[in-house]
Amino acid sequence: MNQAPVSPEEFSAVAEAAARRTEAVDCAFLDELLQGTGLHARDLCRKIFENCTVTINFHPDRIAGNGRLILDNLLADGEYKNQYETGTTNGGRTACPGGDRDLWEKQLFNEFYHTQINLPAARPRYGALNIMNYCDGASPRFGSCFFTLKPAVLDRVTFAAGDSCANPERLGTRGCFCGILKALFHEINRTGRLLNQPGFTIKEAAAFLMNLSPHLTTTPGGALDEYIEAHIHGRIILETDVAALYLDDSFRATELECKARELCRRFRIELHFIPERHVKIEEIDDLFRGPAMRPLAEKIDSAFGRNSGVLNARLIGLASCDSVQNPAAWSNSGSEPELFQYFKQLWHTVVHHARQRSLLRS
């Protein structure tokens, strides 16, 4: 028989207690690394949570499992639901009993969602901690737009260094974050990278974190694979839990912008715009995401872009919706599962090239 249901806050307390078992050791390890800098691990953790938010990247212009746009569902529900509820994902389609997502969660959360509250709506929502304060969110691979969450939500958030598909060994919380920071510093020692930013030493990374401000960067970070995963336990109610919506600039002067403004007005959310990310189709090669990308980009440009030679979030979204509503027109580009992957990978291509351009300017 299942035990009595445990609240998200109670689960976060359990996760924090588990993290606390190694927190002192992790903190001491980090302090030894920081010798001579005048900095301490707990100061870095405090600084991070004073200045950084959890972001949830998503595509508001995609069709959900119920046949409606994601943004229309948000307007109707006033709630950001998880992939078990919506049947929608910007990753792998494995949020089902026995699927990969289900198995990852079983291991990561010590079977909590299998023996305590095994209901679709009870499963966590996923985001990432934006410690680089990127203007395109902490994990833009999962969407062109993003929500930022209010600080109070952190009381029921756990963190992992990297994606849960890699089966991370431990969880952290706002109160016990040294284990996550230790994993980041291990990567700096190994690769010289702080998440997706190259050229860091431990001391340089510590100084960077101690000088964080709450202001977002003006150029996109383009973090595709490197992020601190955040698991939000419990419901995300737009009016009480979401601080702001950041919308890609390609959606300006469109019906989607009108709906986004209505969403923000109705649920008292701030609206901001992200500088448009795009890629010139002539720049798309076979190496980054495979040979299917450029022909599909050319088809999208012909159908929706007036042969401008440029691909952006809005155009990919229009094509994705049309492939659902008019599948015969897209059958020569791939099957439905293939097109799902291709549209996702085209967005990754846009993110990648936008970042490359920003690096060349800096």
Side-chain angles (χ1 to χ4, degrees):
M1 180 181 294
N2 288 354
Q3 302 174 35
V6 176
S7 72
E9 291 80 7
E10 288 175 304
F11 172 68
S12 297
V14 170
E16 180 156 334
R20 197 171 295 281
R21 293 180 196 133
T22 60
E23 182 77 354
V25 173
D26 294 336
C27 185
F29 173 87
L30 292 169
D31 283 344
E32 186 173 344
L33 284 181
L34 296 170
Q35 276 187 354
T37 66
L39 303 175
H40 298 280
R42 296 195 190 281
D43 295 331
L44 297 183
C45 295
R46 173 183 53 79
K47 192 71 173 180
I48 288 169
F49 286 104
E50 283 178 354
N51 292 282
C52 305
T53 61
V54 169
T55 68
I56 298 178
N57 281 78
F58 66 102
H59 290 299
D61 56 338
R62 297 297 198 270
I63 294 179
N66 62 359
R68 302 169 65 184
L69 286 185
I70 297 290
L71 192 55
D72 287 334
N73 282 335
L74 289 167
L75 270 164
D77 299 337
E79 180 176 357
Y80 181 90
K81 296 184 176 181
N82 67 42
Q83 55 195 300
Y84 291 88
E85 297 174 275
T86 64
T88 306
T89 178
N90 297 315
R93 291 171 162 174
T94 64
C96 56
D100 285 344
R101 168 62 52 198
D102 182 52
L103 297 177
W104 296 332
E105 289 184 354
K106 188 173 185 179
Q107 177 171 322
L108 186 62
F109 305 122
N110 197 27
E111 301 192 15
F112 173 74
Y113 288 104
H114 295 73
T115 60
Q116 298 284 354
I117 42 176
N118 191 11
L119 298 170
R123 296 292 187 113
R125 287 79 175 144
Y126 287 81
L129 183 63
N130 196 11
I131 69 166
M132 310 301 285
N133 278 332
Y134 287 144
C135 71
D136 54 347
S139 50
R141 72 174 294 133
F142 297 117
S144 64
C145 306
F146 66 92
F147 285 134
T148 58
L149 300 184
K150 294 179 179 178
V153 180
L154 287 168
D155 290 337
R156 49 188 175 89
V157 176
T158 54
F159 300 97
D163 196 277
S164 50
C165 71
N167 293 318
E169 294 181 359
R170 64 174 70 177
L171 296 178
T173 65
R174 174 168 57 175
C176 287
F177 197 71
C178 284
I180 305 300
L181 200 58
K182 180 180 177 181
L184 288 184
F185 281 12
H186 270 309
E187 279 301 296
I188 293 168
N189 266 336
R190 190 175 70 85
T191 66
R193 299 173 71 88
L194 175 57
L195 295 179
N196 70 328
Q197 289 284 359
F200 274 93
T201 65
I202 293 293
K203 292 181 179 180
E204 289 168 342
F208 173 87
L209 295 174
M210 279 304 296
N211 285 286
L212 284 171
S213 80
H215 304 295
L216 298 186
T217 61
T218 57
T219 54
L224 285 173
D225 299 308
E226 305 91 352
Y227 47 85
I228 297 171
E229 187 177 78
H231 324 110
I232 302 95
H233 304 277
R235 299 169 66 192
I236 298 177
I237 306 302
L238 300 186
E239 187 163 10
T240 57
D241 297 329
V242 173
L245 168 63
Y246 287 76
L247 198 67
D248 186 89
D249 211 44
S250 66
F251 294 114
R252 277 195 190 269
T254 66
E255 183 181 0
L256 195 92
E257 180 190 351
C258 294
K259 290 180 178 181
R261 290 192 179 279
E262 172 59 18
L263 181 94
C264 292
R265 183 199 63 77
R266 186 180 301 178
F267 300 114
R268 303 180 186 180
I269 296 170
E270 295 179 8
L271 178 62
H272 304 278
F273 283 88
I274 308 166
E276 180 188 316
R277 289 145 293 167
H278 61 267
V279 61
K280 292 181 180 179
I281 294 174
E282 65 186 23
E283 296 174 343
I284 300 175
D285 58 32
D286 293 352
L287 297 178
F288 183 66
R289 285 297 190 263
M293 295 299 97
R294 185 159 177 173
L296 184 58
E298 290 170 345
K299 181 170 182 173
I300 294 171
D301 186 31
S302 175
F304 300 105
R306 300 180 180 178
N307 295 306
S308 67
V310 174
L311 195 68
N312 61 23
R314 183 182 67 86
L315 296 177
I316 297 173
L318 289 172
S320 176
C321 289
D322 195 58
S323 74
V324 174
Q325 298 164 338
N326 186 21
W330 297 87
S331 59
N332 63 348
S333 297
S335 64
E336 189 277 331
E338 288 172 330
L339 284 170
F340 171 78
Q341 292 294 330
Y342 293 160
F343 290 131
K344 184 171 68 176
Q345 291 165 342
L346 265 182
W347 171 245
H348 297 172
T349 303
V350 170
V351 172
H352 171 72
H353 281 271
R355 172 157 173 77
Q356 295 304 112
R357 281 194 302 276
S358 70
L359 290 175
L360 289 173
R361 295 191 200 105
S362 61

